[in-house]
Amino acid sequence: MMYFFTKKYILNLKIEKVFPSYFVVYVGIVCGSVTSPAFGFISLGRFLFWFGFIAYLILLPLILYRVLAIGRLPEPAFPTIAILSAPASLCLAGYLNSFQDKSLNLIVFLSLLSLSMFFLAIMYIPGIMRLKFYPSYSALTFPFVITAVAMKGAFNFLTKTLKLYPQFLYFVRLLELWAIAMVIYVFIRYVIFILSETRTQDVSP
């Protein structure tokens, strides 16, 4: 899939067709770094992390330019802006899971980048929630969940190496509550949408 996507969309790049979902194709593979230790594939997990991390650093300026400078995303794709919160957090979670000897500087960098992208995504939430329902509302689930997971892992690591204020734990709990709230919200919107579509079909001749 990555090959065909690159051939069709990257080699024939048109900036108006660039969306935050591009991250999914190249950085989503870091999910393997999060789960690889459970299956004994540590080396593979490390490779997937570096591949996804480098791809993220390459894509980030392009996608930020598309979202912040050009804007005008089509309404059905507008909720995908929330995906901005996912890649740095996924890389952070993958790094924490797949590397035994961890770099403090890299963890701090990924943590700050993760939080920056989280707050950037949060800025668009009011506009997203004013839209009618689209399947792209699903973008409000995984990005915030992985952010909460990654920041909890970073907190656990940093408390062992740095002196963190206890209040940071409350912030991590807040991220977890926000992620849970978003998942429930999207679930409810999906249920409402499906029920309304069912009623529409039932009354149609």
Side-chain angles (χ1 to χ4, degrees):
M1 185 183 74
M2 196 179 297
Y3 168 79
F4 290 108
F5 186 90
T6 301
K7 184 178 179 180
K8 183 172 182 179
Y9 293 103
I10 300 299
L11 298 182
N12 299 287
L13 187 67
K14 294 181 180 179
I15 193 64
E16 67 275 5
K17 291 187 177 181
V18 173
F19 297 98
S21 54
Y22 276 35
F23 282 132
V24 177
V25 180
Y26 300 97
V27 189
I29 200 171
V30 181
C31 284
S33 299
V34 179
T35 59
S36 62
F39 298 95
F41 295 110
I42 299 294
S43 297
L44 177 60
R46 292 172 181 173
F47 170 78
L48 294 177
F49 164 78
W50 286 116
F51 180 90
F53 179 56
I54 293 171
Y56 175 54
L57 295 180
I58 295 172
L59 284 172
L60 184 59
L62 174 67
I63 293 178
L64 287 181
Y65 176 74
R66 171 66 174 96
V67 172
L68 300 179
I70 296 181
R72 303 190 305 276
L73 268 69
E75 185 174 296
F78 192 73
T80 63
I81 289 179
I83 294 175
L84 291 173
S85 181
S89 299
L90 183 58
C91 288
L92 177 57
Y95 183 76
L96 289 169
N97 279 24
S98 291
F99 289 81
Q100 185 174 3
D101 298 323
K102 301 175 177 62
S103 166
L104 176 61
N105 291 333
L106 184 55
I107 290 176
V108 171
F109 170 74
L110 286 172
S111 297
L112 293 176
L113 186 58
S114 176
L115 288 175
S116 298
M117 292 298 103
F118 170 78
F119 286 117
L120 178 59
I122 287 293
M123 290 173 55
Y124 289 92
I125 291 298
I128 292 173
M129 289 189 170
R130 285 195 292 267
L131 301 176
K132 68 178 184 179
F133 177 82
Y134 292 102
S136 55
Y137 261 62
S138 298
L140 302 180
T141 56
F142 177 79
F144 295 133
V145 171
I146 194 61
T147 298
V149 170
M151 294 314 300
K152 183 177 182 179
F155 173 79
N156 291 335
F157 174 81
L158 293 174
T159 50
K160 300 175 183 178
T161 54
L162 298 174
K163 184 178 180 180
L164 291 181
Y165 291 104
Q167 290 79 2
F168 190 76
L169 177 60
Y170 298 124
F171 176 68
V172 172
R173 293 287 182 260
L174 184 62
L175 289 178
E176 291 175 340
L177 291 174
W178 172 260
I180 292 171
M182 286 294 97
V183 171
I184 294 173
Y185 173 77
V186 172
F187 173 74
I188 293 173
R189 292 297 300 267
Y190 260 99
V191 170
I192 294 173
F193 173 75
I194 292 172
L195 291 178
S196 63
E197 288 294 303
T198 302
R199 293 192 189 101
T200 301
Q201 294 176 2
D202 289 341
V203 297
S204 297

